[in-house]
Amino acid sequence: MSTTGAGELSRGSVAWRVGAVGAGLAVLLGGQLVDTNDWFPLGSLSQYATPRPADGSVVTTSLEGTTVDGEVVQVPLTPAGVGLSRAEVEGQGQRIIAHPGLLGDLARSRAALHPDAAPLRELRLVRSERRLRDARLVGPTDVRVLATWTATGSAS
């Protein structure tokens, strides 16, 4: 065992610190090379990694529901609204499109989180796109329904 002066670290202390930093860097590098958001914050979060073109489009995903009373409502795509964040739902977008019944889970989660709200008869995953020209929004919003769940069990 080596003796060190005040403020100095032993070889073992330096070694485990260097090892910990090396392991952290390896995870960061692995997350970037694999290009996965599953390891965030120790990996890629690609939605913020590139600038938006000045002449492109802005795409947003939302949930729109119809209550049993026939009222069309926006369903917040937040943990407080449906138990999941927007990024989590967007990340499962292709699964939801392939299996619209998954929207039923979100409708049930909303009902559990908001017992006083009118129950949903239908829930839709909606994608809105706005065009940009010179980094300004122009033209109408293109709205597409990507998946629909209905409480009766039929889905589109």
Side-chain angles (χ1 to χ4, degrees):
M1 180 164 134
S2 68
T3 307
T4 61
E8 293 182 26
L9 296 175
S10 69
R11 283 186 181 179
S13 293
V14 170
W16 79 260
R17 284 174 171 84
V18 168
V21 169
L25 289 174
V27 170
L28 284 171
L29 179 62
Q32 295 298 72
L33 292 175
V34 175
D35 193 24
T36 179
N37 291 332
D38 294 340
W39 298 354
F40 183 78
L42 298 176
S44 175
L45 187 57
S46 56
Q47 67 188 23
Y48 299 111
T50 57
R52 182 139 329 269
D55 292 326
S57 62
V58 176
V59 177
T60 58
T61 303
S62 61
L63 290 175
E64 179 181 273
T66 303
T67 68
V68 293
D69 303 326
E71 180 183 1
V72 175
V73 296
Q74 290 298 312
V75 177
L77 207 47
T78 63
V82 293
L84 294 174
S85 70
R86 176 178 309 281
E88 291 170 307
V89 172
E90 287 175 345
Q92 296 299 316
Q94 293 305 313
R95 280 187 65 219
I96 293 170
I97 292 167
H99 306 284
L102 293 171
L103 289 171
D105 294 334
L106 295 178
R108 287 184 286 281
S109 178
R110 175 189 177 267
L113 291 167
H114 304 280
D116 295 335
L120 295 176
R121 175 181 62 194
E122 187 174 270
L123 186 60
R124 294 171 294 284
L125 180 66
V126 178
R127 177 153 301 148
S128 303
E129 183 174 356
R130 291 285 308 266
R131 297 280 174 206
L132 293 174
R133 184 175 306 128
D134 295 325
R136 296 179 191 267
L137 293 172
V138 295
T141 302
D142 176 34
V143 179
R144 292 185 336 171
V145 175
L146 302 176
T148 302
W149 165 86
T150 59
T152 59
S154 63
S156 63

